[in-house]
Amino acid sequence: MSQTPVLSPYGLLGKTLGHSYSPAIHKALGNPAYALFERAPHELAQFLAQPDLKGLNVTIPYKQTVMSACQSLSDAAKRIGCVNTMVRQADNSWYGHNTDYDGFIFMLQRANITITGKKVLVLGDGATSHTVHIALEDLGAREIIHLSRKTAPFYEEAPQHAHDTEVIINTTPVGMYPNCPNQLISLADFTNLTGVVDVIYNPYRTALLIEAEQKGIPYSDGLPMLVGQAVAAATLFQKKTFTKEEAERIITQLRQEQENIILIGMPGVGKTTVGEALANRFKRPLIDCDDEFEKRYCHPGEYIATHGEADFREKETVLLQELCKTTGAIIATGGGVVTRPENYASLRQNGRIYWLQRPLTALATDNRPLSQGGLQRLETLYTIRQPLYTAFSQVCVNFTTPDEGANYIEEEYHAHFNS
Ligand SMILES: Nc1ncnc2c1ncn2[C@@H]1O[C@H](COP(=O)(O)OP(=O)(O)O)[C@@H](O)[C@H]1O
Ligand SMILES: O=C(O)C1=C[C@@H](OP(=O)(O)O)[C@@H](O)[C@H](O)C1
Ligand SMILES: [Mg+2]
């Protein structure tokens, strides 16, 4: 009788592993036997000696440590100086490779960001930046500058490179959940950019990427790199090749599950009502920003009446920053979120923004202090806000009944991810 293995033969090794997408990605690639292995440093040698283990991914802080346990190393792993994938060989030895390298190149290629002959600015000088550096060299970068916090050149020197940098790559954790939105450098002075890349994948769009998007510069978040490295690892684990379409299918599925659906529009247009309908259809939680405000303070209308609109906006911005860190939700905003430009990064970082439109004559005005004063007041408000709603939204939804609005959004959302 054969013995049941005590360990899953594949998995991710690290010291403390929070939520990881790796088991789900490997499952989608046909390997359900992929587990999370949290091990302390003193447990590593014994752990790696277990014969049941066939393949591992390795993360912080062991990417360098495990190199000495590998009897053979790929060229990329040697040059980068760290291993993120270990494969058990027929003679029981470990072969170490670095598939972050493959994932990074896959990410650039699918975003059509080319490197040959270009000047690249890399933010950060940690482990990931080493992988990025070797890949950039192999792709034929003309010049690679690493900005750092500890050694010169520093982040503050970014403007000196603004006129001729063609690609920017963030390898630091600045801007990562939960400290988001946040960014190390501004793109304002950069005039020659052909690509901006962030290895962060939570949030989907860091503040740096949102700035790139607003300037019309091609950009990529780090999810394709994560999926790309997993596909390269799965190729070694399962000894089979995967098509680009299989990688794309996984990226799309993760994005579709996570992107928030965000509703903006005039007070009384139906953000809360359509939000409720969408929450039912998508089986997602509804976050109503006005309700959340009321839980913390009092009804928004009452707050504006007693403290004034400026004070309300301050509080609303802070609250929005907190609420929009979430993923996979329906978010109904208060009608005035578009009046503060900084609210855009909060909404957009994990969200597709829908602007709800109905004729002003049909809008509810009860309990809404800014809508008091008849149609003329609403028209004045609309004149001010219309360009803001336009700038804040990806999709404009003209609708009559709440169901019609929800239908349109449901179809648009699925079409967007599956076209
Ligand atoms: N499409 C619609 N047609 C008719 N009445 C609507 C529609 N959408 C919402 N309402 C009604 O208008 C009022 C305000 O809707 P609500 O969803 O609270 O708007 P918002 O959140 O945009 O301020 C509610 O009484 C709601 O029942
Ligand atoms: O448009 C606005 O400035 C406001 C809209 C309200 O939300 P609704 O749009 O849900 O009415 C509420 O946030 C507050 O009274 C301010
Ligand atoms: Mg509402």
Side-chain angles (χ1 to χ4, degrees):
M1 204 171 70
S2 70
Q3 266 196 316
T4 324
V6 275
L7 282 177
S8 186
Y10 300 94
L12 174 63
L13 170 66
K15 191 159 166 235
T16 39
L17 300 170
H19 174 75
S20 165
Y21 293 139
S22 291
I25 298 174
H26 282 276
K27 192 170 172 198
L29 292 168
N31 180 2
Y34 188 101
L36 296 180
F37 300 120
E38 281 194 0
R39 294 293 184 276
H42 72 272
E43 298 172 307
L44 283 191
Q46 204 187 4
F47 173 74
L48 293 172
Q50 304 194 62
D52 292 339
L53 282 179
K54 300 297 176 217
L56 287 172
N57 286 123
V58 185
T59 187
I60 307 165
Y62 298 138
K63 287 191 182 187
Q64 279 152 327
T65 325
V66 297
M67 285 187 89
S68 57
C70 296
Q71 285 77 16
S72 56
L73 291 168
S74 73
D75 187 44
K78 277 186 211 155
R79 288 164 64 220
I80 295 162
C82 60
V83 156
N84 87 318
T85 302
M86 297 170 71
V87 189
R88 183 80 82 185
Q89 305 297 286
D91 64 0
N92 225 26
S93 68
W94 282 113
Y95 165 74
H97 179 49
N98 193 315
T99 65
D100 288 331
Y101 173 95
D102 306 279
F104 178 69
I105 291 175
F106 169 72
M107 163 173 73
L108 291 177
Q109 279 172 348
R110 70 184 287 287
N112 288 321
I113 297 173
T114 62
I115 297 298
T116 317
K118 289 187 179 167
K119 171 168 170 173
V120 185
L121 197 61
V122 179
L123 308 181
D125 57 1
T128 308
S129 85
H130 296 161
T131 309
V132 165
H133 188 99
I134 297 293
L136 292 173
E137 268 182 16
D138 290 354
L139 292 170
R142 180 179 91 243
E143 191 181 352
I144 309 168
I145 309 271
H146 287 261
L147 299 185
S148 148
R149 189 174 43 173
K150 295 186 206 118
T151 51
F154 302 107
Y155 298 125
E156 294 70 33
E157 293 166 56
Q160 294 170 24
H161 301 279
H163 65 289
D164 62 350
T165 292
E166 290 156 285
V167 178
I168 294 181
I169 297 166
N170 177 47
T171 69
T172 77
V174 176
M176 189 160 73
Y177 174 89
N179 301 314
C180 51
N182 191 14
Q183 69 195 106
L184 261 175
I185 64 163
S186 155
L187 301 182
D189 299 332
F190 286 80
T191 49
N192 225 353
L193 287 174
T194 60
V196 178
V197 174
D198 206 319
V199 302
I200 292 170
Y201 53 85
N202 184 9
Y204 177 178
R205 302 170 196 84
T206 57
L208 185 74
L209 295 186
I210 291 171
E211 211 187 338
E213 182 179 56
Q214 286 176 320
K215 288 174 76 116
I217 302 162
Y219 67 92
S220 178
D221 68 306
L223 185 67
M225 178 171 168
L226 180 79
V227 173
Q229 66 76 31
V231 169
T235 304
L236 297 172
F237 295 162
Q238 300 182 42
K239 299 187 177 44
K240 65 179 262 203
T241 55
F242 297 92
T243 61
K244 288 219 168 14
E245 288 69 33
E246 284 170 285
E248 290 303 329
R249 187 176 44 79
I250 294 172
I251 293 168
T252 300
Q253 194 192 328
L254 286 168
R255 292 219 194 289
Q256 196 164 340
E257 283 166 14
Q258 281 156 10
E259 184 96 293
N260 294 321
I261 293 177
I262 302 195
L263 308 177
I264 64 171
M266 286 289 280
V269 74
K271 301 180 291 297
T272 300
T273 312
V274 173
E276 282 162 357
L278 288 170
N280 279 330
R281 285 162 189 247
F282 281 80
K283 305 271 175 287
R284 290 183 178 201
L286 170 68
I287 299 173
D288 188 283
C289 298
D290 286 340
D291 286 353
E292 295 300 321
F293 188 93
E294 190 167 355
K295 280 184 208 160
R296 255 160 254 210
Y297 306 99
C298 61
H299 185 275
E302 193 186 322
Y303 195 95
I304 292 173
T306 42
H307 302 268
E309 190 183 344
D311 189 347
F312 171 73
R313 296 285 169 226
E314 296 272 340
K315 301 274 190 307
E316 185 183 48
T317 291
V318 174
L319 179 63
L320 211 58
Q321 251 171 32
E322 228 176 276
L323 298 175
C324 293
K325 291 181 205 292
T326 194
T327 55
I330 311 289
I331 302 182
T333 61
V337 291
V338 294
T339 58
R340 286 192 145 216
E342 65 266 46
N343 291 343
Y344 183 70
S346 291
L347 298 172
R348 180 63 176 149
Q349 62 182 338
N350 290 313
R352 186 161 178 79
I353 307 173
Y354 293 86
W355 170 22
L356 301 190
Q357 284 235 74
R358 286 197 298 135
L360 296 184
T361 47
L363 304 191
T365 55
D366 54 305
N367 257 332
R368 290 172 167 82
L370 301 180
S371 306
Q372 302 309 304
L375 188 58
Q376 207 183 348
R377 180 71 206 277
L378 271 184
E379 277 169 354
T380 311
L381 196 64
Y382 184 74
T383 308
I384 297 167
R385 288 192 182 172
Q386 187 259 336
L388 303 174
Y389 289 132
T390 305
F392 263 63
S393 57
Q394 279 72 54
V395 185
C396 176
V397 185
N398 285 290
F399 68 109
T400 308
T401 66
D403 249 359
E404 196 191 316
N407 257 341
Y408 183 87
I409 292 171
E410 190 178 12
E411 280 173 23
E412 197 284 339
Y413 186 82
H414 291 308
H416 168 68
F417 283 104
N418 297 295
S419 60

